[in-house]
Amino acid sequence: MAVRAIVISGDPVLHSPAASVEEFDDDLRVLVQDMYETMDAAPGVGLAAPQVGVPLRLFTYSYLDDDDRSWRGVAINPELWITPVPAGEADEDEDVEGCLSYPGERFPLLRSPSAILRAVDLDQKPFEIHAEGWLARIFQHEYDHLDGTLYVDRLEHFYAKIATKVTRKRGWGVPDLSWVPGVDNLED
Ligand code: ZN
């Protein structure tokens, strides 16, 4: 088990669709364990395989909701259905999102308030979660990663312009950049 390096925006693995998981073998189990460890070390509420440089369709999530219910698991070969994203502008307090592949930055983004996730677990057992609120947001964010989309790609024009400047200033947007939770401090 190991904390893996998290790839930063600009590497092709983050901007290309990932492939379905075909082999449910020991390598996959190790990958999932490492993803949990990396997500917890970051810390983050979700982590998709492309973020650790593996172009496969799976993500881990870990979130305690407002009712103190713990949501933690792995979604392999997921499908996601969402209700329409509400009209209007993202709220600078309520709708602020972040991404471990765009570390240390946060931008508001409107998301669908509810989502249905269907996936299989490591034993290829299917499961379904009807998610609301922040959990629905996490699923949309992680699912996007599997299609090569980052949340910064979805920002409203005003925030997209700021993100473009941030990318330039930090020297991101090029291949092979990564950071290791617990080793690199990107808040500075
Ligand atoms: Zn992300």
Side-chain angles (χ1 to χ4, degrees):
M1 304 321 155
V3 170
R4 297 199 186 189
I6 298 177
V7 179
I8 289 173
S9 179
D11 196 282
V13 73
L14 289 174
H15 307 283
S16 326
S20 295
V21 174
E22 308 283 355
E23 306 282 338
F24 287 75
D25 53 10
D26 286 345
D27 285 350
L28 184 67
R29 284 183 187 275
V30 171
L31 171 64
V32 170
Q33 281 311 314
D34 287 356
M35 284 172 63
Y36 279 125
E37 217 173 302
T38 306
M39 174 178 69
D40 292 343
V45 291
L47 185 71
Q51 294 185 274
V52 291
V54 178
L56 290 174
R57 300 187 74 83
L58 72 149
F59 64 78
T60 54
Y61 56 91
S62 185
Y63 173 65
L64 190 66
D65 72 17
D66 292 341
D67 299 322
D68 277 346
R69 178 161 180 194
S70 173
W71 299 90
R72 186 174 170 89
V74 59
I76 302 171
N77 295 337
E79 294 176 86
L80 193 72
W81 284 267
I82 58 169
T83 52
V85 176
E89 289 181 4
D91 187 280
E92 297 223 353
D93 295 317
E94 303 260 303
D95 297 318
V96 171
E97 206 164 306
C99 179
L100 297 175
S101 292
Y102 206 88
E105 304 291 337
R106 300 177 74 74
F107 294 102
L109 175 66
L110 275 177
R111 292 285 195 182
S112 174
S114 51
I116 298 172
L117 173 75
R118 280 184 201 150
V120 298
D121 65 16
L122 270 172
D123 299 317
Q124 299 189 64
K125 194 169 148 246
F127 67 92
E128 180 174 307
I129 296 173
H130 291 241
E132 304 285 333
W134 205 262
L135 185 64
R137 179 182 290 272
I138 293 167
F139 289 164
Q140 288 167 78
H141 180 114
E142 300 311 329
Y143 187 84
D144 266 356
H145 274 301
L146 308 183
D147 289 334
T149 301
L150 299 189
Y151 88 106
V152 286
D153 299 330
R154 291 187 177 275
L155 298 177
E156 293 163 23
H157 184 64
F158 174 77
Y159 300 109
K161 278 202 315 199
I162 300 172
T164 301
K165 281 185 193 155
V166 167
T167 300
R168 199 180 306 136
K169 193 170 137 229
R170 294 211 180 203
W172 295 344
V174 294
D176 296 329
L177 295 179
S178 64
W179 68 286
V180 181
V183 176
D184 302 312
N185 184 355
L186 282 147
E187 299 300 323
D188 296 332

